[in-house]
Amino acid sequence: MLLPKDLYYTENHEWIFVEGKKGTIGVTEHAQKEMGDIVFVELPEIGDNFEQFDSFAVIESVKAVSDVYLPVGGKVIAINQDILEQPELVNDEPIESGWLVEIEISNLDELESLMDDEAYAHYLEEGK
Amino acid sequence: MKRTPLFNVHKELGARLIDFGGWEMPVQYTSIIEEHQTVRKQCGLFDVSHMGEIYFSGGDALKNLNYLITNDISQIAVGQVVYTPLCNHHGGVLDDLLVYRLGENEFLLVVNASNIEKDYQWIKEHVNGEITVKDLSSDFGQLALQGPESEKVLNKLTDIKLADMKYYRFSRGKLAGEDVLLSRTGYTGEIGFEIYLSPAKLEEIWHEIIDAGLGYGIKPIGLGARDTLRLEKGFCLYGNELSEGVNPWQAGLSWTVKLNKRDFIGKDALLESRQGYNRVLRGFKVIDRGIPRKGYKVSKDKKEVGIVTSGSYSPSLKENIGLAYLEKDVAGTGSELDIIIREKPVKALVVEKPFL
């Protein structure tokens, strides 16, 4: 399972990669597997503001509709246009080309409430 | 939750299991889209042992059964299968089922898993005379092999003449040495067969069929693909398109209602409602971005005009499609409507069924 070390993780299986105040966000390998064939992604608009753990996107697989929540609060500064046309990228590469949005993080302290890769791996183990 | 005799096989195959009307069933083994394509292009094996079987026999069997259902079985031959709604006195659909004519006065009804108990009670309460009704659901396992290669696969295992078997016919014989009832039926719109046999032999036969199909691209298929396959063909699913709240006219099943029959339950109500219903079942395609789901509202010019009963991404068409009950005056082919997805109107077009 892909658990890159530089990412933070949420209990709802989102990840965030942080560079300065910029955060790139997506869903984890575990999440994409749970959802199955992803056929539709709905993203917010650039400039939209969200609080930590707000629902900001919707991912639909053949069978189910899943909300995606923001790991930390912030303003959307970019969205991944490619996944609107090719939602299956989220299945194929959830932590690379399947990213969802970039945000400008409003409060870096909120990162402290998230899990690092070890804690997330442990969390997944417990859930089994 | 109830389990079929193949539960352990599904687990070993790594299936994702879900609660399906009180049954713990495989929704997918690998990927719904992949399994869907397998059935359309090669063949796939389904465990459908959750379906119910009600045995119906006796000197008054034909008369009683024809009184219970809307279709007419008086003209069908032994070895033939008929699809029919089972209606209540108001003409609402209690269930949709297959009737197998096993003998002159002997029938097998194959009913939806979630309706077994309801159907069985209803039938027992509405028969009289020389008649035996038995719920044999736990005496039958059921497999479905569906897809263009299905006949070749089964030919390796049985001497039943499959090539001669017409659509909606069945035969009894041996398959891999076991007694089976095998019919040219299914729920995918592909050439395919349904196989009824003793639950004790189910696991063995499952493996025999998988082995026989290895050179033909066979794969186990879950309920997820079963749903997308039937939706592309516009087939009704009980609990989605069919319920006691709709009648066969609305559901597009008028071909299954034989008003020439002397009498049957719901006949008066169905005669009366023949023109007097508002909403009809129609197929639609989503034009904008969005996937329709059961329960979503349909509107036209901001007025609510219907409700989605089934919807999905169609793996064959690579479009988003659905079925909906729509007000008659907006239900014509080509009519433009909005599906309300997460409070936003998403454009859709009424199209002819089947989609594929």
Side-chain angles (χ1 to χ4, degrees):
Chain A
M1 181 162 300
L2 208 55
L3 286 176
K5 291 210 174 304
D6 303 334
L7 309 182
Y8 295 91
Y9 300 88
T10 67
E11 291 183 0
N12 194 50
H13 309 289
E14 293 94 4
W15 57 264
I16 178 167
F17 174 65
V18 182
E19 293 169 289
K21 288 208 82 176
K22 191 179 95 177
T24 308
I25 291 148
V27 297
T28 66
E29 176 71 11
H30 172 85
Q32 70 82 10
K33 263 197 190 146
E34 282 295 304
M35 287 186 267
D37 298 307
I38 293 167
V39 291
F40 182 81
V41 180
E42 191 176 283
L43 295 176
E45 294 191 12
I46 292 171
D48 284 355
N49 277 289
F50 296 97
E51 303 278 319
Q52 187 179 28
F53 304 136
D54 274 357
S55 161
F56 75 99
V58 177
I59 296 184
E60 298 203 36
S61 65
V62 177
K63 281 314 280 182
V65 184
S66 311
D67 282 311
V68 194
Y69 303 93
L70 214 58
V72 295
K75 184 168 88 179
V76 177
I77 52 173
I79 60 170
N80 185 353
Q81 290 286 349
D82 293 346
I83 61 169
L84 298 178
E85 295 306 316
Q86 289 173 273
E88 66 274 14
L89 285 176
V90 181
N91 283 126
D92 298 342
E93 294 187 339
I95 303 187
E96 285 143 344
S97 59
W99 63 278
L100 303 178
V101 295
E102 279 178 8
I103 62 165
E104 188 185 294
I105 300 170
S106 21
N107 179 1
L108 287 167
D109 292 346
E110 287 178 354
L111 292 167
E112 284 165 28
S113 59
L114 305 177
M115 290 179 272
D116 63 13
D117 63 326
E118 268 178 46
Y120 182 61
H122 184 69
Y123 174 73
L124 288 180
E125 270 307 305
E126 278 186 334
K128 273 181 189 165
Chain B
M1 250 190 295
K2 284 181 266 187
R3 293 171 171 179
T4 81
L6 290 170
F7 180 76
N8 288 324
V9 173
H10 302 319
K11 283 215 93 160
E12 277 163 30
L13 287 167
R16 171 160 312 163
L17 298 153
I18 52 153
D19 177 357
F20 185 82
W23 290 76
E24 199 170 2
M25 297 297 285
V27 64
Q28 67 177 69
Y29 299 87
T30 55
S31 133
I32 292 176
I33 294 178
E34 202 177 293
E35 290 167 27
H36 180 108
Q37 305 293 18
T38 297
V39 174
R40 288 272 180 258
K41 291 175 182 150
Q42 289 110 22
C43 64
L45 186 60
F46 301 74
D47 175 17
V48 278
S49 301
H50 58 305
M51 301 290 286
E53 288 85 10
I54 294 171
Y55 180 76
F56 206 91
S57 75
D60 295 320
L62 177 67
K63 195 175 72 186
N64 274 282
L65 189 50
N66 236 7
Y67 174 70
L68 285 165
I69 61 175
T70 62
N71 211 329
D72 188 356
I73 48 161
S74 62
Q75 302 303 320
I76 73 161
V78 174
Q80 215 172 331
V81 189
V82 166
Y83 171 81
T84 182
L86 177 74
C87 279
N88 62 27
H89 295 286
H90 308 291
V93 181
L94 279 167
D95 201 2
D96 63 328
L97 45 98
L98 292 180
V99 178
Y100 285 69
R101 189 164 198 176
L102 303 174
E104 280 310 309
N105 285 305
E106 203 185 3
F107 301 86
L108 191 68
L109 315 185
V110 180
V111 305
N112 284 298
S114 54
N115 289 337
I116 298 173
E117 200 45 39
K118 178 180 83 172
D119 292 355
Y120 182 56
Q121 292 305 330
W122 174 265
I123 291 168
K124 277 200 305 185
E125 281 164 23
H126 291 88
V127 293
N128 55 61
E130 192 192 320
I131 180 88
T132 305
V133 182
K134 280 188 218 158
D135 176 6
L136 293 189
S137 300
S138 48
D139 294 355
F140 281 98
Q142 190 189 345
L143 300 174
L145 185 69
Q146 303 278 299
E149 304 283 26
S150 56
E151 188 182 313
K152 287 180 209 153
V153 174
L154 291 183
N155 265 333
K156 292 173 76 175
L157 300 171
T158 184
D159 50 14
I160 298 172
K161 294 275 172 279
L162 302 176
D164 301 340
M165 196 183 281
K166 289 186 193 142
Y167 194 45
Y168 270 63
R169 302 284 170 143
F170 70 92
S171 238
R172 281 187 277 193
K174 297 271 188 198
L175 185 103
E178 300 302 336
D179 291 324
V180 296
L181 186 156
L182 192 149
S183 59
R184 176 96 149 64
T185 51
Y187 199 40
T188 62
E190 295 300 323
I191 288 179
F193 300 88
E194 292 183 300
I195 305 155
Y196 301 83
L197 69 158
S198 156
K201 303 292 179 187
L202 204 58
E203 193 169 333
E204 194 185 320
I205 295 293
W206 170 279
H207 291 299
E208 290 277 359
I209 296 174
I210 292 284
D211 288 348
L214 284 179
Y216 298 100
I218 196 171
K219 278 181 193 153
I221 311 295
L223 293 177
R226 187 173 163 85
D227 196 45
T228 52
L229 288 157
R230 69 94 195 168
L231 178 60
E232 285 181 349
K233 294 293 177 178
F235 297 153
C236 291
L237 174 64
Y238 199 86
N240 287 43
E241 286 72 38
L242 300 178
S243 68
E244 292 185 48
V246 302
N247 63 43
W249 311 130
Q250 294 174 279
L253 298 175
S254 51
W255 59 279
T256 63
V257 181
K258 302 293 154 68
L259 292 171
N260 294 334
K261 273 201 305 182
R262 205 164 59 94
D263 195 20
F264 61 91
I265 295 177
K267 185 180 180 181
D268 291 343
L270 286 169
L271 272 170
E272 205 171 306
S273 62
R274 205 171 177 190
Q275 310 297 339
Y277 53 90
N278 292 324
R279 289 185 173 191
V280 288
L281 188 66
R282 288 287 186 264
F284 66 88
K285 243 177 214 184
V286 178
I287 300 170
D288 289 343
R289 296 181 75 248
I291 299 183
R293 306 279 183 181
K294 178 182 176 181
Y296 286 5
K297 288 174 180 154
V298 184
S299 72
K300 174 130 188 157
D301 304 328
K302 295 188 178 155
K303 189 178 142 258
E304 194 183 322
V305 292
I307 190 143
V308 176
T309 52
S310 291
S312 176
Y313 170 77
S314 155
S316 303
L317 300 167
K318 300 187 169 44
E319 288 180 298
N320 297 323
I321 60 169
L323 297 171
Y325 277 104
L326 301 175
E327 303 283 341
K328 268 183 176 171
D329 56 341
V330 301
T333 301
S335 166
E336 223 174 75
L337 304 164
D338 291 320
I339 311 294
I340 308 301
I341 303 182
R342 292 181 282 280
E343 282 149 38
K344 272 178 269 170
V346 173
K347 217 169 266 166
L349 202 62
V350 177
V351 297
E352 293 286 328
K353 289 181 291 170
F355 300 94
L356 187 71

